[in-house]
């Protein structure tokens, strides 16, 4: 469990970034943090994995304050995927990269070798390939694999789909979905509302260093006050259903006006026509 209790944080005490942030993420949740640039999302993620310590308040990981834990200790619990994989990749071959985390944690050995070999086969990597000669999508996939192989109970993703094409995005996020379905707690910062809608069950909205909304994803993404305050654009299907509800008031409380997916929208339209 991850708890933020009235957390204040900054990189320069004269310029506060977080201003009293509180929330709890339970084990096994898939939570997306959304908001404009500068809202405090990435700062929040750095507090989760201990790269930054709070100026005031508490960040607790399974009841332990991050101020009492070394970053190396937190790394056993929290895996962190940076927005830019080039800030994460540091080895000369794919296999060395996937083994790096085990060596850093003092866990290198036959079991680590076996897990790395199995993951190389599963992902279809060339173990001897130079990571820095791989394309952007492949490097992002490798950076994610370097976390997956360690099987941390919590994974934090900072804009995991930035710079990826649609196919690469789906591949990365399907791996993330599998992690979550296997019991991993996933915390994701994401600007792509379509990705948020497709994968996250809970959405926390941040603006000006504060949490301004927190709840089930589609409830949050239908809250016009939240969208306006945080300058967010809802996913297309949600926007269409909201427009329909505004244009035809009687649909507001009907499935057509509440659809969250294309499938729901199509089924609701058929039902609405049948009822007429």
């Amino acid at each position: 469990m991850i708890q933020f209790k009235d957390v204040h944080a900054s990189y320069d005490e004269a310029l506060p970034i977080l201003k009293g942030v509180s929330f709890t993420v339970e084990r096994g949740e898939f939570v997306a943090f959304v908001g404009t640039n500068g809202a405090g999302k990435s700062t929040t993620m750095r507090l989760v994995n201990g790269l930054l310590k709070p100026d005031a308040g508490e960040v607790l990981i399974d009841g332990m304050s991050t101020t009492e834990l070394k970053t190396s200790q937190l790394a056993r619990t929290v895996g962190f995927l940076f927005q830019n994989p080039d800030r994460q990749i540091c080895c000369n071959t794919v296999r060395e990269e996937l083994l790096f985390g085990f060596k850093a944690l003092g866990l290198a050995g036959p079991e680590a070798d076996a897990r790395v070999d199995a993951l190389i086969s599963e992902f279809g990597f060339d173990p001897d390939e130079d990571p820095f000669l791989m394309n952007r999508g492949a490097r992002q996939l490798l950076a994610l694999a370097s976390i997956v192989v360690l099987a941390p109970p919590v994974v934090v993703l900072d804009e995991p789909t930035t710079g990826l094409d649609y196919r690469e995005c789906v591949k990365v996020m399907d791996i993330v979905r599998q992690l979550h379905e296997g019991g991993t707690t996933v915390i994701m910062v994401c600007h792509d509302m379509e990705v948020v809608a497709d994968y996250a069950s809970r959405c926390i909205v941040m603006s000006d260093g504060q949490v301004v909304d927190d709840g089930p994803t589609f409830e949050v993404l239908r809250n016009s006050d939240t969208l306006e305050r945080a300058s967010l654009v809802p996913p297309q299907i949600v926007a269409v259903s909201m427009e329909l509800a505004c244009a035809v008031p009687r649909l507001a409380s009907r499935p057509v006006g509440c659809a969250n997916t294309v499938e729901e929208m199509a089924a609701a339209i058929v039902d609405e026509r049948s009822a007429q």
Side-chain angles (χ1 to χ4, degrees):
M1 182 171 65
I2 298 166
Q3 291 177 287
F4 273 53
K5 296 183 175 181
D6 193 26
V7 173
H8 295 253
S10 65
Y11 298 102
D12 177 351
E13 291 185 3
L15 183 62
I17 305 297
L18 298 190
K19 308 165 186 176
V21 169
S22 298
F23 61 83
T24 297
V25 175
E26 301 288 351
R27 286 190 183 92
E29 284 198 275
F30 193 139
V31 184
F33 280 75
V34 301
T36 57
N37 290 333
K41 307 182 302 298
S42 291
T43 298
T44 300
M45 299 305 104
R46 281 161 175 74
L47 285 158
V48 172
N49 75 345
L51 291 177
L52 183 66
K53 306 296 184 182
D55 296 334
E58 280 190 301
V59 178
L60 304 174
I61 309 293
D62 290 334
M64 291 288 294
S65 173
T66 57
T67 58
E68 300 172 3
L69 298 170
K70 296 179 180 179
T71 303
S72 58
Q73 291 175 292
L74 282 168
R76 295 174 181 266
T77 300
V78 182
F80 193 94
L81 180 69
F82 288 88
Q83 181 174 343
N84 184 346
D86 295 340
R87 293 183 178 179
Q88 192 162 341
I89 294 171
C90 60
C91 297
N92 294 322
T93 70
V94 166
R95 194 169 194 282
E96 289 174 355
E97 187 64 39
L98 295 175
L99 281 170
F100 179 81
F102 290 105
K103 293 178 180 179
L105 295 174
L107 300 175
E111 182 180 345
D113 289 334
R115 285 166 65 176
V116 166
D117 289 340
L119 198 70
I120 285 173
S121 177
E122 179 183 348
F123 278 63
F125 289 132
D126 176 351
D128 299 318
E129 187 172 3
D130 183 339
F132 297 101
L133 297 181
M134 300 166 79
N135 64 38
R136 175 68 168 75
R139 295 199 308 278
Q140 186 78 325
L141 197 62
L142 175 60
L144 177 59
S146 70
I147 296 169
V148 172
V149 74
L150 295 171
V154 179
V155 171
V156 176
L157 311 168
D158 192 0
E159 298 290 355
T161 61
T162 296
L164 305 185
D165 62 27
Y166 177 76
R167 180 185 58 81
E168 293 167 338
C169 173
V170 169
K171 188 169 185 178
V172 165
M173 290 309 303
D174 279 351
I175 291 168
V176 173
R177 192 202 296 275
Q178 291 171 21
L179 280 177
H180 177 242
E181 290 175 348
T184 302
T185 303
V186 178
I187 302 174
M188 174 178 71
V189 170
C190 190
H191 278 98
D192 190 331
M193 294 298 102
E194 307 295 335
V195 171
V196 171
D198 285 345
Y199 294 91
S201 57
R202 176 180 167 197
C203 188
I204 295 178
V205 182
M206 298 191 70
S207 179
D208 191 28
Q210 298 177 311
V211 172
V212 298
D213 204 351
D214 178 359
T217 298
F218 285 105
E219 287 185 17
V220 170
L221 296 182
R222 287 180 179 280
N223 188 324
S224 56
D225 291 337
T226 294
L227 297 175
E228 182 176 356
R229 181 174 180 182
S231 300
L232 295 175
V233 177
Q236 273 191 325
I237 190 63
V238 173
V240 169
S241 65
M242 291 171 69
E243 287 292 332
L244 280 172
C246 289
V248 187
R250 68 182 177 80
L251 297 180
S253 61
R254 302 289 290 275
V256 175
C258 303
N260 297 323
T261 67
V262 172
E263 291 78 11
E264 286 179 9
M265 175 68 78
I269 289 173
V270 170
D271 289 344
E272 184 68 24
R273 287 175 174 171
S274 299
Q276 290 177 356

